[in-house]
Amino acid sequence: MTNTDRIWTAALIVVGDEILSGRTQDKNIAQVAAWLGVQGIRLREVRVVPDVIDAIVEAVNTLRARNDYLFTTGGIGPTHDDITVDAVAQALGVPVVIHPRARAILEAYYETRGGLNDARLRMARVPDGADLIENRVSGAPGIRAGNVFLMAGVPSITAQMLDGLTGKLEGGLPVISHTVGCWVAESEIAVMLGDTEKRFAGVQIGSYPFFREGRTGANFVIRSVDADVLLACAQDLSAQLAAIGREPVDGGI
């Protein structure tokens, strides 16, 4: 049973020389923080570290010890400088192994994309004993090793991995959801979705486009820990869709 009086905490390690150099602007801190808030978990600290094993190991061991959860973003790709898996394994005191299900996922994904070579196989490497986090974008899964969650550096992929974890972490309050469907192109109402999410504190809106019956549509899954806020947001979004001549479908299509 979840104890709602307990404050669950998380930390985030952003891995990457490109972030520290300023060549890339990090977008994962904001989205991880917002996602954790919806789960009822508080992001307490963030550390940005270079692509150096010792630096990652030290950060992992420090932050995982004083928080319920630790997330990392970056450094789990196919290149030689993607060393987050090695560093986390070292921090946990376990070897790196090829996860059989991760290998199967990658083999299927790359079957029509040139096959699974040695570089791509690196993305099946996990700390021994780890579980996988689903990735619907690029095949390569995220990794859960104890209370450490290894996510992609690419924000759109990280978002999908977080979505796969929604409601699965023990936290402050259970996450509830409400779906509104509509025959509309996702791009047509992207600004509307973002503005709506901002107006309702503690709400996240996931957009899931599809093509059926020769038409483009999308289901919008609204998530919150507050039933009243959830309903208000769903009603507001439905009213906005109706106002632009797009009929909302309560419960989804």
Side-chain angles (χ1 to χ4, degrees), residues 189-205 222 229-230 232-238 240-241:
I189 61 164
V191 173
M192 177 194 295
L193 293 175
D195 289 345
T196 303
E197 189 178 75
K198 290 174 185 174
R199 281 202 308 279
F200 292 88
V203 161
Q204 275 191 320
I205 303 176
I222 306 163
V229 173
L230 185 75
C233 182
Q235 291 174 339
D236 182 271
L237 178 60
S238 295
Q240 290 185 79
L241 290 168

Side-chain angles (χ1 to χ4, degrees), residues 3-252:
N3 178 1
T4 57
D5 295 327
R6 179 172 171 341
I7 297 174
W8 294 74
T9 67
L12 171 64
I13 298 172
V14 179
V15 180
D17 293 336
E18 70 279 4
I19 304 294
L20 289 167
S21 70
R23 291 193 303 273
T24 300
Q25 291 187 338
D26 178 81
K27 297 180 179 178
N28 282 321
I29 294 173
Q31 75 168 349
V32 170
W35 179 84
L36 285 166
V38 172
Q39 313 306 302
I41 300 167
R42 182 178 302 170
L43 181 61
R44 193 164 69 175
E45 51 191 320
V46 178
R47 188 180 296 191
V48 184
V49 299
D51 296 308
V52 176
I53 282 193
D54 288 347
I56 302 171
V57 169
E58 191 276 330
V60 167
N61 278 331
T62 298
L63 298 183
R64 73 184 177 96
R66 65 186 182 210
N67 292 281
D68 297 298
Y69 303 110
L70 171 62
F71 289 78
T72 72
T73 59
I76 62 171
T79 61
H80 71 282
D81 59 349
D82 287 312
I83 56 173
T84 302
V85 170
D86 304 84
V88 171
Q90 184 173 319
L92 298 178
V94 299
V96 174
V97 298
I98 298 291
H99 194 292
R101 189 159 65 87
R103 179 176 188 137
I105 290 168
L106 290 165
E107 283 177 343
Y109 182 80
Y110 285 111
E111 185 177 3
T112 58
R113 296 173 173 87
L116 185 61
N117 56 30
D118 288 343
R120 291 167 172 174
L121 185 59
R122 283 180 58 83
M123 294 185 289
R125 299 164 74 252
V126 303
D128 195 14
D131 297 318
L132 303 182
I133 302 169
E134 181 185 10
N135 167 18
R136 297 192 300 268
V137 177
S138 63
I143 303 162
R144 177 176 185 170
N147 71 332
V148 184
F149 298 80
L150 288 70
M151 324 289 281
V154 179
S156 60
I157 300 177
T158 302
Q160 289 289 339
M161 291 179 177
L162 291 171
D163 190 63
L165 287 173
T166 292
K168 295 181 180 178
L169 301 187
E170 190 174 7
L173 293 168
V175 178
I176 52 179
S177 65
H178 189 103
T179 302
V180 175
C182 189
W183 292 104
V184 64
E186 182 184 37
S187 59
E188 186 179 330
I189 61 164
V191 173
M192 177 194 295
L193 293 175
D195 289 345
T196 303
E197 189 178 75
K198 290 174 185 174
R199 281 202 308 279
F200 292 88
V203 161
Q204 275 191 320
I205 303 176
S207 179
Y208 303 94
F210 56 80
F211 185 78
R212 297 181 203 156
E213 305 165 19
R215 292 193 290 169
T216 297
N219 284 312
F220 309 109
V221 180
I222 306 163
R223 297 185 176 96
S224 176
V225 296
D226 187 313
D228 292 336
V229 173
L230 185 75
L231 180 59
C233 182
Q235 291 174 339
D236 182 271
L237 178 60
S238 295
Q240 290 185 79
L241 290 168
I244 62 169
R246 301 289 189 172
E247 183 180 354
V249 179
D250 194 59

